[in-house]
Structures are given as C-alpha cells and as structure tokens.
Amino acid sequence: MADGAAQAAGQPTASAPHAAPTEAPASGAGAAVPGQGGGPAPTVPAPAAEVPAPGVTGTVPAPAVAHGTPPPAAEQPKPLHDPDPYSTPPYGEPGPWAPAPPVQHPAATPAHGVPMSAPPAAPEAVAGLGAPPAAPEAVAGPGTPPAVPEAAPAPQDTPAAGPWARYDPWAAPAAVGPLQQADPVEEDVKRRRGRRRRALVGGALVIALLSGVGGGVVGVQLERNGGIGAVELPQAGVEAPDRDPDSVAGIAAQALPSVVTLHVSGGGKAGTGTGFVLDDRGHILTNDHVVEPAGKNGDITVTFHSGDTAEATVVGRDSGYDLAVVRVKGVRGLTPLPLGNSDNVQVGDPVVAIGAPFDLAGTVTSGIISARERPITAGGENGDGSDVSYVDALQTDAPINPGNSGGPLLDGKGRVVGINSAIRSADGGLDPEGGQSGSIGLGFAIPINQGKRVAEELIEHGKATHPVIGITLDMEYGGDGARVAAEGSDGGPPVSTGGPGARAGIRPGDVITKVDGRPVHSGEELIVKTRAHRPGDRLELTLERNGEERTVSLVLGSSDGD
C-alpha cells in the first residue's frame, strides 16, 4: 500500500490496526485512530452499502483526509469534556444490522499524549445515489496498514450542527466491548462475599445469643414456678371431714365434745386442769390436785369444747386416789364419755390423750401403753402425807404436760381406760402437776376401774372408801419388801386389833414380800397394790418371819378415806 493513495470508490481496502475498536463515523468514512498501546486490532470490513433510515434521502460522503493534514481550526467542534486519560471509548455506534440515522458522533477520545486527526471537514460534494465516496488514507504510525473505508450510506439530510448533533439515543452499542478491570471487580466480589459471610455469622451469633438468653429465662421460670404464667401449686381437693372412728382423728372427733377445761382459783392459788363428762346430770371427773386450790370457798369455771362456760361446785374429793368430782348446773345436752375396762389393756395398745396442757384446750396426743401396774406415789407437799396419792398406774408415752391432769386416756375405740394424773419430770421427780419441765415420754394414768369405783362413791357419799389390811408399815425400811412397824403411828399397836391383818396372824416385824404372788419391794408399793382392790376383796400375802417364809390370806377391810 502507498501512503496517501485513495482506493477506487466502492472498493474495499484493508483495515488499519487499532489499539481498541473504534466507531465508524456517521458519514460512512472511517478514520483510523491510534489507540492506547498501539497494538493491532481485529479487521472489521465495512459493509457494501447501508440502507438509509426511513424518511431520510441523500448520502453524505465522507471527505478524504490527507495524511497528516489537520482540518481547519475553525471547523473543529468543541469537545464535550476533557480528554479521558483512561481511553474510555465513545458512545456506541450502529452496527451493520441497524443503520444509524444521519447523525455525527463525537470522535473517540485518544489516549493521553497521543495526537489524533482532526474531525473531517464538511462534505463538498454529494455523490450520486449509491456511489460510495473515496476512502481516506488511514492515519497511523509507520508500518500501519491503511484503514478500510466503509460503504457510503444513502443520501440524507445534513444534521444540524451543535455539540449534541451527533448524539443518537437509538444507536446500537459499538463493537467496542466495555472496559474490564479484572482485579478490582474480583476484589469487589470477594468483598461482597466476605460481607455476606460476616453478616451471616453475625446474624447466627445474635440468634444464638438471643436463644441462649431466652432459653435461660424460660428455664429459670420453669425451674422456679414450674411453668410460664401465674404460680399455682398443686393442692388436694376438698375432702369429707369424716374419718374412720378407730383412727386418732375419729377418736378425737367423738371425744372432744365431752372433754372440758377447768380454771380453779382460791386461797391465793390458781390452776388449770382437764376433766370429762361422766353423765348427763353434769358430773365431771378430774384429779384432786386440780381442784385443791379452790378449797371450800374458791371458784371453779368449766369451759366446754364449744366455748360455753359454766360454774362448777365440788361434789367429792379423795387425795389418796387423787380423784375428785365436780358438777355444773343449768347445762343441757351433755354427752358422757364411754368407759372402758383397764384390766383389758395390754402393753403396746394404742391410746389417745386429750387435755389442756399449759391452758391449750382441746390438745390431742397419741401413743401406746408402755407399762401396766406401775406403782407410783404423788403429792406430799403438805408434809404430813395427807396429800400423798398411791396409784397402781398405767404408763404411757403419749405426751402429757401440766394441764393434762384429769383428762381422759382413751383406747383404740374411744373408751376411757385411764385418768391422766402425773408425769416423770426431767429432774427425776414425780409430780402430779409434772412441774414445768414438760413431757419426757413418761406419763401415768389412774386405771379407769379404780376411777369408776371412786367416782361412784364420791357422787353417792361425797367420799370414797379405801381397802385396808389394818397394819402400820415401817416406811424407813430399806430392805426388799414391806416391813410391819414395831409401833403404831398414833401410839397404838402396829397391827390393828381385830383387823384383817391380826385375824390373818400378821405380827410386828414381819416382812411382806408378795401380794397375790407378785413381788413387793417397798411399803409404798404394798399400799398401791392394796388400793388397787376394793374393800372386801381377798388377798394372799407372802411374808418372812425369822428367816422363814409363810403365806396368809385375808379379806380387805374399809376405811373412810384415811
């Protein structure tokens, strides 16, 4: 190829190399523009002819541009912006499949520092219809092949001049591909992926934290309250108040209406005790030491389980048995407690004690019979022995405290088998009031068989009789058994003349070792064993005299409470 030589009209020429594809000018004559880097570009053959846009006539041929000859300065259009140092391609141009309207596009922006040809001058001649214009020689550096001219478009009107004259909004994108920035794009993708991962990890951590906190709150709520919401503890429903009559509750329910509390005062003394109803006439059985503070002119107030109160008077007392009977008047509807048989009681039988310990009325305790025929003596505060009681008692571990005295001891069927009278104190003493030390599990009750007989005598005669042998005992004797004294207490004979003992042949100095075959270890125990019987009962005594043992039989006499 020769520099500056124009090819024949309508004949294609070889395309010049491009650094990057450029757009073909709207006039149909393409001028090669040096691109950045100066590398060859693929050859793009120009179409043989272009179909003019509808409504457009005439063809504007592109003038030939001489190699290295710049167009006049006056005709150069003013650039729309400053040169692009990054060789950004111009707007797209129509491809061969869609002919562009007859507009002019801005020239491609050259690379920074690279000279480019001036835009082509206005056409001076219009070729005939279908005649292609002469192709200008490509402007290129040394050794660059000439550009191949494209076919001239159909004749068309010359577009209006101006900076936007060559703007075509419907033009197809140019063959030049978009810029590709491999590294930055890849970095952006990595950054987006990293942000997504961080967002997902952060969201997962937040969800886990909230789940842990919520689970902890729910767990604490469930652990403390058993559920979420108002606290409602499980509870049994309402049941019928009736209980088995043989149970402690059943026995207490039956017996409590017949148990009373006594408040006694007089002579500068006062006390509280318990009693129970004997009959519907208002007779109440209690201990003698309970009513003793009242004396002859004291006050006795009886309080029933219902809360009603009534004044009471003493019917009869017996300090030797520690029993007394009082009576209330003007009270109706009293229910007496049924009486059992103390001879039927066995060790281990269940019992229920009812009383007013420390003035706590209606207190119910339970236990068993822990021993029978336990000889005890209580009282003796007067010093002359007139207030000493001798009881062949029932021992129980049912808690009995001060204030329980005179209350009933019930068997498993709610029947009275004993009258609570004394407890063993923690200091080792035996006191009918029990002192103030409280129960240590050693309580004693008068057998109801003895209490029944004494109560009947007190109601009928105002006093009770005591069975007697007619002898005086040596209470200072320290050996085993009960020894008959050498002298009587009142200066009389130690063996009453004509009494049961004298008739049986008992002499002063004899030692009684058994009563009805049961051992006797002291004088007090002999009295207890004797008073466990009625006057007129027959006893068999075993005694020792001068180292010899013999047995005698006698019928018990009677004394008027002495």
Side-chain angles (χ1 to χ4, degrees), residues 176-196:
V176 180
L179 294 178
Q180 296 183 359
Q181 298 176 350
D183 293 341
V185 173
E186 183 177 358
E187 183 178 358
D188 292 342
V189 172
K190 291 181 178 179
R191 289 179 179 176
R192 287 196 297 272
R193 290 178 179 175
R195 287 195 295 270
R196 291 194 189 100

Side-chain angles (χ1 to χ4, degrees), residues 19 92 105 112 128 158 163 172 210 213 216 234 253 342 354 374 448 450 456-457 462 470 480 524 538-539 548 555:
H105 295 274
H112 183 68
T158 302
L210 294 177
V213 173
S342 54
I354 301 178
R374 187 73 76 187
I448 193 59
Q450 182 175 336
E456 291 171 345
E457 291 181 356
D480 189 40
E524 290 85 357
R538 181 172 290 276
L539 292 182
E548 295 180 2
V555 175

